[in-house]
């Protein structure tokens, strides 16, 4: 009797399974174009939310790991999933008229906790709620919302590079976001502002801090993320400037330009992961 009262607001596990899976299939079909758009944006290049596919893979792994480690939890599905699913469907409907794609992507991520409540239940959804919420940090941010941030980062990269050039005694002149050296002039554009690295580093830092067992390391990770991302990008712009000084402006049209962007991720993200690892004595 107690169990009956406790589960009076919970669907029987098998009775509505077919209806739930049919709903899941329809939602998968509904959001398929959104998923395709997200994949396209995440794979456009290092300058455009390239961290998105990495974070999505990490989230899938974490969700799988949590569910596997807590397989004994009751699968008490609940209709409260519609509380998240219905607003998500409304956003998607709104996006159908506005054609932003971004709103549709936000609706997709909002729908996932709702689907989890409907298919996995409350207890399991609690376990995976944080990883699922991190998917919001993979959404492409329109330039209109980040224009001032881009500009500030461009000035920091330019001024930082100017300071480093002073240390190497290379003749140069810095004006705004323009760096002039004997072999040519470099304009630090939005793509070189380091915003993508900053966005990715902050996202990975939050994710790493959440799973880090040490409070001190969590604080360090969160404090170091922004200066680390900015510093790595300054070094990148400085190295590109050196290459231009040695080989001319044509070097910017080679793979070295894009590889330098990848290096900012290759350097910044492992540092965050490394700080987030427990020291040997804590393992």
């Amino acid at each position: 009797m107690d169990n009956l009262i406790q589960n009076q607001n919970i669907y029987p596990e098998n009775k509505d399974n077919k209806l739930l899976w049919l709903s899941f299939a329809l939602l998968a079909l509904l959001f398929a174009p959104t998923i395709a758009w997200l994949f396209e944006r995440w794979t456009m290049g290092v300058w455009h939310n390239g961290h998105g596919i990495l974070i999505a893979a990490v989230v899938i792994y974490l969700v799988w790991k949590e569910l596997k480690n807590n397989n004994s939890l009751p699968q008490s599905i609940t209709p409260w999933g519609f509380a998240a699913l219905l607003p998500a469907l409304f956003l998607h409907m709104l996006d159908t008229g506005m054609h932003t794609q971004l709103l549709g992507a936000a609706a997709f991520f909002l729908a996932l906790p709702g689907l989890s409540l409907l298919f996995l239940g409350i207890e399991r959804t609690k376990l995976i709620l944080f990883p699922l919420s991190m998917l919001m940090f993979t959404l492409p941010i329109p330039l209109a919302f980040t224009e001032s941030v881009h500009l500030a980062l461009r000035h920091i990269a330019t001024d930082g590079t100017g300071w480093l050039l002073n240390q190497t005694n290379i003749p140069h002149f810095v004006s705004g976001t323009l760096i002039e050296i004997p072999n040519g002039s470099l304009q630090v554009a939005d793509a070189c502002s380091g915003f993508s690295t900053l966005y990715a580093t902050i996202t990975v830092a939050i994710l790493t801090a959440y799973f880090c067992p040490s409070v001190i390391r969590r604080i360090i990770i969160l404090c170091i993320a922004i200066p680390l991302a900015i510093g790595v990008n300054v070094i990148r712009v400085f190295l590109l400037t050196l290459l231009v000084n040695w080989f001319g402006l044509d070097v910017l049209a080679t793979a070295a330009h894009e590889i330098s962007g990848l290096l900012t991720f290759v350097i910044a993200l492992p540092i965050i992961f490394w700080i987030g690892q427990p020291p040997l004595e804590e393992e």
Side-chain angles (χ1 to χ4, degrees):
M1 177 64 72
D2 290 342
N3 289 337
L4 179 62
I5 294 173
Q6 184 179 359
N7 296 326
Q8 61 182 346
N9 293 323
I10 297 174
Y11 288 132
E13 290 191 6
N14 298 319
K15 183 178 179 181
D16 297 321
N17 274 356
K18 289 183 179 178
L19 180 60
L20 285 174
W21 281 107
L22 177 61
S23 302
F24 180 81
L26 291 174
L27 285 170
L29 190 63
L30 180 68
F31 284 108
T34 301
I35 296 171
W37 177 78
L38 277 171
F39 184 79
E40 180 187 356
R41 293 303 303 263
W42 290 342
T43 55
M44 282 179 68
V46 294
W47 322 114
H48 303 279
N49 301 283
H51 71 286
I53 197 165
L54 169 66
I55 298 300
V58 171
V59 167
I60 291 172
Y61 169 74
L62 291 174
V63 168
W64 170 79
K65 185 180 177 184
E66 290 290 347
L67 294 179
K68 181 183 177 185
N69 292 341
N70 297 277
N71 193 39
S72 59
L73 287 175
Q75 194 171 355
S76 53
I77 59 177
T78 167
W80 280 108
F82 290 109
L85 195 55
L86 292 179
L89 292 176
F90 175 76
L91 280 180
H92 189 278
M93 183 179 66
L94 199 62
D95 187 61
T96 303
M98 297 173 66
H99 302 291
T100 68
Q101 297 285 11
L102 183 60
L103 204 55
F108 173 59
F109 292 150
L110 181 62
L112 292 179
L115 289 174
S116 178
L117 287 170
L118 288 174
F119 283 87
L120 301 175
I122 297 174
E123 296 303 321
R124 297 186 188 195
T125 299
K126 286 180 181 176
L127 291 173
I128 62 174
L129 187 58
F130 180 79
L132 289 180
S133 66
M134 290 304 298
L135 289 172
M136 285 291 181
F137 285 89
T138 67
L139 290 175
I141 303 177
L143 183 60
F145 294 104
T146 60
E147 193 171 1
S148 58
V149 178
H150 273 93
L151 184 60
L153 291 173
R154 288 168 60 193
H155 278 286
I156 292 173
T158 307
D159 294 341
T161 301
W163 183 84
L164 290 172
L165 288 172
N166 280 332
Q167 312 311 309
T168 57
N169 296 320
I170 294 176
H172 66 281
F173 177 73
V174 173
S175 175
T177 57
L178 182 70
I179 303 170
E180 295 186 63
I181 54 177
N183 232 353
S185 300
L186 295 88
Q187 180 71 53
V188 181
D190 285 344
C192 294
S193 67
F195 179 80
S196 296
T197 308
L198 181 65
Y199 192 16
T201 306
I202 290 175
T203 304
V204 171
I206 294 173
L207 196 58
T208 306
Y210 180 79
F211 289 99
C212 180
S214 167
V215 175
I216 295 177
R217 284 173 178 259
R218 289 180 187 174
I219 295 172
I220 293 174
I221 290 168
L222 295 175
C223 290
I224 202 175
I226 293 177
L228 174 64
I230 292 175
V232 168
N233 189 60
V234 169
I235 293 173
R236 166 181 168 263
V237 176
F238 171 66
L239 292 177
L240 282 175
T241 306
L242 289 182
L243 289 175
V244 170
N245 187 57
W246 294 332
F247 305 108
L249 284 170
D250 290 343
V251 74
L252 296 180
T254 67
H257 194 188
E258 190 144 331
I259 289 174
S260 69
L262 283 173
L263 283 177
T264 59
F265 296 97
V266 172
I267 294 172
L269 301 189
I271 291 176
I272 294 293
F273 288 135
W274 177 72
I275 297 174
Q277 292 295 314
L280 292 177
E281 59 268 22
E282 293 182 12
E283 291 181 337

